[in-house]
Amino acid sequence: MLHVKKFWFCLALIFVLRPAAGSAAKTELRLVGWRSEATQVWDRAIADFERQNPGLKVVREIGPSSSTQFHDLLTQKLKNRDPKLDVFFMDVIWPGEFASAGWALPLDRYFTAAEQNKFLEAPILANHYRQHVFGVPLFIDAGLLYYRKDLLAKYGFPAPRTWPELVETAKKILARERDPDLVGFSAQFKQYEGLVCNMMEYILANGGSLWDATRLVSTLDQPRALEAVRFVRDRIIGEISHRGILTYEEPESLALFTQGHAIFHRNWPYAWKIANDSETSKIAGKVGMMPLPGFPGKKGAATLGGWQLGISRFSTQPELAWRFVAFMTSAAIQKRIALATGRAPTRRALYDDPELLDAIPQLKSLLQIFRQAVPRPITPVYIPLSNIMQRYFSSILALPDADLLARAALATRDMNRVLDLLRERPPS
């Protein structure tokens, strides 16, 4: 009798616990990303992937738009070995850090050398750390100079080839326009990673560097770097811009330009589409684009930017995560993103795509800039180094009377302490 009761109890339990018809639990893939300027493109792409994988639901967590704040959110999840995190966006400067910490899954078994060769070289190199690859490039960025073609043509000025020439051209146009709302230059000088990108371009264009990767010492206190920083403080901000630029990230600096209140503007490739959108931009059709200037006798330099997709080392479903990454970085999806946002693809073949070239005619010229773009040094300690540089650059630019040599010496000291962590030490 006891066995009969046990049988009916187990049978009843099965009926209670089994899912109701049509309510079978779905497999979830969790993605941490940032808010796109074209959410419908991502919605459609994810829906397509879900249709190709019946029973799958991609669960998205949208992080802050600021790269610094997004990094804080993502690293907290990775430090906690969150098993619900499968795929995440990575800024181009993060692969070394995430790989060194053991947070990012090495992708060598999935992302073969033959497949990597289908992508542009610079972003692939940026995703390597100690001979392993940890991310797949989704789109690529590099710093560019935008300018008001109409204003330069009005006064007969050519597009500037050097930074001093840009300053002089801006000053002459400002003097003749006599518009109190017009400034000569708009860029990203708020204390965040974008400030490092901007300042690195001036320093490299003047023949300097952020640090010596061989000797593992800071070079911010060297003459070339000091000259470049002084130029930005005294001539860019001091002569042709305004103090508000010290609070600008990409959106604010671009808005100043598209509203017709700046002659020159430094930004990434996506800004072209926005600046020429007649519904939102007052200068549509009046915009020129060119590589960033250099200093006399030297070539300009553009910081490599862009975002990648990586897989958490703690994901319980890496195979599924890889299928998602491969789908989202495919030629078809990169093309959709480019057409909708103007963001440049990382796959080589798309630079010969007739539809893309028709929609984004400047893509061919951008390709050469991307090939020459300079990545920020790949290191697992990039974030603390960046924080030091951000504080240094921000304080110097904000305080015209600050002692440049003294502050550069302090930044160099602090950077050297961080770089010293990378030195090989004999076992104790």
Side-chain angles (χ1 to χ4, degrees), residues 15-91:
F15 275 97
V16 170
L17 296 179
R18 76 174 183 177
S23 63
K26 288 191 174 186
T27 299
E28 290 187 347
L29 183 78
R30 294 186 174 266
L31 165 70
V32 176
W34 42 245
R35 189 177 305 280
S36 171
E37 64 269 42
T39 55
Q40 71 279 6
V41 176
W42 281 88
D43 293 343
R44 178 186 164 199
I46 289 174
D48 288 347
F49 183 75
E50 290 174 338
R51 276 192 292 272
Q52 292 179 16
N53 295 269
L56 171 69
K57 175 64 177 177
V58 178
V59 179
R60 283 181 283 176
E61 179 177 348
I62 305 300
S65 57
S66 163
S67 176
T68 301
Q69 294 175 2
F70 185 86
H71 175 270
D72 293 342
L73 168 72
L74 187 55
T75 53
Q76 188 60 47
K77 290 179 176 293
L78 292 168
K79 286 175 183 176
N80 292 337
R81 302 187 171 211
D82 187 348
K84 294 183 178 180
L85 172 58
D86 296 300
V87 179
F88 50 81
F89 278 66
M90 277 196 297
D91 198 343

Side-chain angles (χ1 to χ4, degrees), residues 191-348:
Q191 185 177 317
Y192 78 120
E193 182 59 31
L195 175 60
V196 177
C197 295
N198 278 252
M199 297 305 295
M200 173 175 150
E201 289 165 347
Y202 293 100
I203 291 172
L204 265 61
N206 198 43
S209 61
L210 302 180
W211 70 82
D212 186 322
T214 302
R215 296 189 299 121
L216 293 177
V217 294
S218 170
T219 51
L220 290 182
D221 60 348
Q222 297 302 299
R224 296 291 188 185
L226 293 170
E227 289 172 4
V229 173
R230 184 179 289 110
F231 176 87
V232 177
R233 181 185 69 179
D234 297 347
R235 305 216 58 199
I236 294 286
I237 296 173
E239 295 185 13
I240 62 170
S241 196
H242 57 58
R243 309 298 293 173
I245 201 173
L246 298 172
T247 66
Y248 286 0
E249 296 186 18
E250 283 83 356
E252 298 86 2
S253 61
L254 178 57
L256 187 72
F257 184 63
T258 58
Q259 292 307 300
H261 299 319
I263 302 168
F264 295 103
H265 174 55
R266 182 269 179 207
N267 212 316
W268 308 101
Y270 83 97
W272 175 264
K273 186 178 180 70
I274 297 173
N276 285 286
D277 184 346
S278 58
E279 293 186 4
T280 58
S281 173
K282 294 181 179 179
I283 56 171
K286 303 175 182 178
V287 181
M289 183 185 73
M290 62 178 288
L292 289 167
F295 284 92
K298 302 180 182 68
K299 293 182 179 179
T303 300
L304 175 71
W307 286 78
Q308 358 289 310
L309 289 178
I311 298 176
S312 170
R313 197 157 196 160
F314 314 113
S315 170
T316 59
Q317 42 193 2
E319 300 286 342
L320 177 59
W322 169 252
R323 291 209 309 272
F324 178 74
V325 169
F327 179 82
M328 296 304 296
T329 56
S330 66
I333 301 302
Q334 287 200 23
K335 181 176 176 178
R336 283 191 207 173
I337 293 172
L339 289 172
T341 68
R343 294 193 178 274
T346 56
R347 286 183 173 269
R348 298 174 189 266

Side-chain angles (χ1 to χ4, degrees), residues 127 139 143 171 179 181 202 237 259 291 296 323 329 357 381:
N127 277 284
F139 62 82
K171 288 171 66 176
D179 180 351
D181 294 326
Y202 293 100
I237 296 173
Q259 292 307 300
R323 291 209 309 272
T329 56
L357 291 174
V381 295

